[in-house]
Amino acid sequence: MSKIISGFSKLTKEEKIKWLAANYFNNQPEIIDTIKQYWNVDSTLQQLHDDFIENTISNFYMPYGVAPNFIINGREYVIPMVVEESSVVAAASLVAKFWSSRGGFKTEVLSTTKIGQVHFIYEGDIKTLTQYFESKKEDLKLATSSITKNMEKRGGGILNIELVNKTEKLDNYYQLHVTFETVDSMGANFINSCLEAIAKEFRNDEIEIVMSILSNYVPECLVKAEVSCKVEELGGEDPQKFAKKFCQAIQIAEIEPYRAVTHNKGIMNGIDAVVLATGNDFRAIEAGVHAYAAKSGHYTSLTHCEVKDNIFRFWIEIPLALGTVGGLTSLHPMAKLSLDMLQKPSAKELMMIMATAGLAQNFAALRALTTKGIQHGHMKMHLMNILNQLGANETEKQEIARYFEGKTVSHSAVVEKFNQLKK
């Protein structure tokens, strides 16, 4: 019997769940119970969440944690983080405390422009196209005036429109390359609306518009964060050796893509957690960041390190296109709460906060890797997850946690100890 269904989106939420249970879960009552268990008891709030996407049947919870003790440009912050991975929040918190007594994090926004493109095909003479573009350039901006009016009042809008020839890479392919400033909004809808208006004004019988869309590659929407201190202030048994190994770890990530991918993933553990907590688009951020890491043609580290004149310096430059108004940032109650917790930052300030979270996460990972190893702290944090999977009660959890104090935690060792207790 076919499970293909027409009109699924028109079913009520209850009907969707019943159909799903009947066709894919053999009508298991516990499946329906689990789905409904994650509904919010506040029906108005639940309806708000239902309306975010299509075919909603429930909510999928992620842990919401906070990392205190961050000092960024002399200002104190508690950073909200939404992430499922053990040790991420703990690592960020420890590093924040570490650098809070060493001058904190210094950050600056280097640029904030974003890009959109009208992609089109033109088979005629390039000179004729260039003349046509120059004659239409002001009209293209005027065509967006109703869209850009409010953005311009806030200091944003269209900065420039260029004609780009890409025929060497694809026959008859050209672009209108448009630069935008979107101030405190991420600006996706604004940019796409402008591009469609521009495309409509630009097309003629010889110009075939293929598509009009923003780019999530934002190398000119760039933020920098760094920390520095005297080498001896790094602490530990041998701060000189630690600084040297730390820089070597960065150098390896700069030249070895296999290491760079994992290195940058660790950075994004911190950044994505704040992106999610503030209702921003982590997929767009990820795509843009990894493209930036490969802009030289070689995928490399997003962070850098040097020791010069006995000063240890560690920094990141990263593209982050963010918003603090519009979209989920204005609709999701927890996203709004996160922005309140961050003292209602502008988009630029949020860029600096997120870059700091990424740098802190990378410092924590490299410190662990070059000293005790990454598993030492990570598996301790993972211990409770393993015990929950095994169904351990509170007494068993406490006894097993005491047993593993000062010992290396592994999944097999935890299972073995748990089975011994059960016997």
Side-chain angles (χ1 to χ4, degrees):
M1 184 175 175
S2 174
K3 296 178 182 178
I4 301 300
I5 180 173
S6 297
F8 182 76
S9 63
K10 294 180 174 62
L11 300 178
T12 66
K13 188 159 66 172
E14 290 276 4
E15 289 169 340
K16 288 185 180 80
I17 293 169
K18 286 179 181 177
W19 179 86
L20 192 65
N23 285 276
Y24 287 91
F25 293 108
N26 297 319
N27 283 315
Q28 297 163 258
E30 65 272 22
I31 295 300
I32 296 176
D33 290 343
T34 298
I35 290 171
K36 291 186 175 181
Q37 185 180 6
Y38 282 87
W39 288 3
N40 198 293
V41 293
D42 184 328
S43 59
T44 303
L45 186 58
Q46 182 57 56
Q47 188 61 53
L48 176 68
H49 284 269
D50 287 349
D51 291 342
F52 286 158
I53 62 168
E54 306 77 31
N55 294 338
T56 313
I57 60 169
S58 192
N59 306 308
F60 188 96
Y61 290 171
M62 293 275 279
Y64 182 101
V66 295
N69 300 318
F70 276 91
I71 296 179
I72 304 172
N73 294 339
R75 192 177 185 184
E76 296 174 347
Y77 288 91
V78 172
I79 297 183
M81 305 180 82
V82 173
V83 64
E84 86 297 341
E85 185 172 331
S86 302
S87 79
V88 169
V89 178
S93 302
L94 285 170
V95 170
K97 186 72 178 294
F98 178 87
W99 284 106
S100 69
S101 60
R102 292 164 175 81
F105 294 82
K106 306 293 189 297
T107 63
E108 63 174 318
V109 172
L110 304 178
S111 55
T112 58
T113 56
K114 298 163 188 174
I115 299 300
Q117 296 166 317
V118 176
H119 305 270
F120 67 93
I121 300 298
Y122 173 77
E123 297 181 9
D125 176 60
I126 178 63
K127 187 176 179 181
T128 304
L129 177 63
T130 303
Q131 290 172 345
Y132 176 71
F133 168 71
E134 292 297 335
S135 71
K136 294 288 290 184
K137 196 168 182 179
E138 287 306 312
D139 292 336
L140 299 180
K141 288 187 177 181
L142 286 173
T144 68
S145 58
S146 62
I147 306 167
T148 59
K149 182 171 58 177
N150 289 333
M151 184 65 75
E152 287 171 353
K153 288 178 182 177
R154 300 198 299 271
I158 295 173
L159 303 180
N160 192 27
I161 305 176
E162 297 176 86
L163 174 66
V164 179
N165 183 345
K166 292 280 185 175
T167 56
E168 286 186 4
K169 295 188 175 181
L170 181 64
D171 288 348
N172 306 316
Y173 167 45
Y174 296 85
Q175 302 171 359
L176 294 182
H177 190 85
V178 189
T179 308
F180 295 87
E181 171 58 64
T182 61
V183 199
D184 285 334
S185 67
M186 192 277 168
N189 290 331
F190 167 76
I191 291 172
N192 288 336
S193 295
C194 287
L195 293 172
E196 289 181 0
I198 288 169
K200 186 177 179 180
E201 178 66 28
F202 189 66
R203 67 161 50 95
N204 62 26
D205 292 341
E206 295 182 318
I207 291 172
E208 181 187 352
I209 304 295
V210 178
M211 56 185 169
S212 308
I213 185 72
L214 88 164
S215 173
N216 290 128
Y217 182 43
V218 285
E220 297 303 323
C221 192
L222 202 61
V223 59
K224 180 180 180 180
E226 71 171 80
V227 288
S228 63
C229 67
K230 293 180 180 178
V231 171
E232 56 267 25
E233 292 175 355
L234 290 168
E237 295 178 3
D238 189 342
Q240 296 285 347
K241 183 178 180 182
F242 168 74
K244 182 180 179 181
K245 286 186 70 178
F246 191 99
C247 287
Q248 287 171 337
I250 296 280
Q251 289 164 356
I252 290 169
E254 287 174 340
I255 61 110
E256 173 50 70
Y258 281 93
R259 171 58 198 145
V261 169
T262 311
H263 177 94
N264 290 344
K265 183 269 181 186
I267 293 168
M268 299 313 293
N269 278 346
I271 290 174
D272 280 347
V274 191
V275 173
L276 282 168
T278 56
N280 275 277
D281 186 345
F282 75 92
R283 300 159 305 279
I285 296 296
E286 283 275 352
V289 163
H290 294 300
Y292 185 79
K295 68 182 186 299
S296 67
H298 170 89
Y299 189 90
T300 187
S301 169
L302 292 161
T303 53
H304 310 281
C305 180
E306 69 174 13
V307 176
K308 190 175 181 181
D309 298 329
N310 200 43
I311 299 295
F312 171 87
R313 181 169 166 257
F314 176 51
W315 72 97
I316 186 171
E317 287 188 10
I318 190 166
L320 296 172
L322 304 170
T324 56
V325 297
L328 275 190
T329 59
S330 301
L331 282 175
H332 198 300
M334 291 300 289
K336 290 192 283 187
L337 184 150
S338 294
L339 292 171
D340 282 347
M341 187 188 301
L342 293 170
Q343 303 164 70
K344 298 183 178 178
S346 65
K348 285 184 177 181
E349 289 167 336
L350 189 58
M351 287 170 70
M352 294 188 282
I353 290 165
M354 285 191 192
T356 295
L359 190 67
Q361 210 64 45
N362 195 225
F363 183 86
L366 293 177
R367 183 169 63 175
L369 281 167
T370 57
T371 53
K372 295 179 179 179
I374 199 71
Q375 292 301 86
H376 178 80
H378 182 76
M379 289 308 293
K380 279 191 174 182
M381 295 296 298
H382 196 49
L383 175 60
M384 287 304 151
N385 285 345
I386 299 171
L387 293 174
N388 284 333
Q389 289 172 12
L390 294 172
N393 60 38
E394 284 304 313
T395 302
E396 291 164 341
K397 287 178 183 178
Q398 290 173 15
E399 185 169 343
I400 292 173
R402 283 195 297 270
Y403 172 79
F404 278 102
E405 286 179 7
K407 296 184 177 70
T408 300
V409 177
S410 70
H411 189 277
S412 58
V414 174
V415 172
E416 184 179 350
K417 183 62 180 175
F418 178 73
N419 289 337
Q420 286 175 2
L421 274 183
K422 283 295 183 185
K423 289 178 183 178

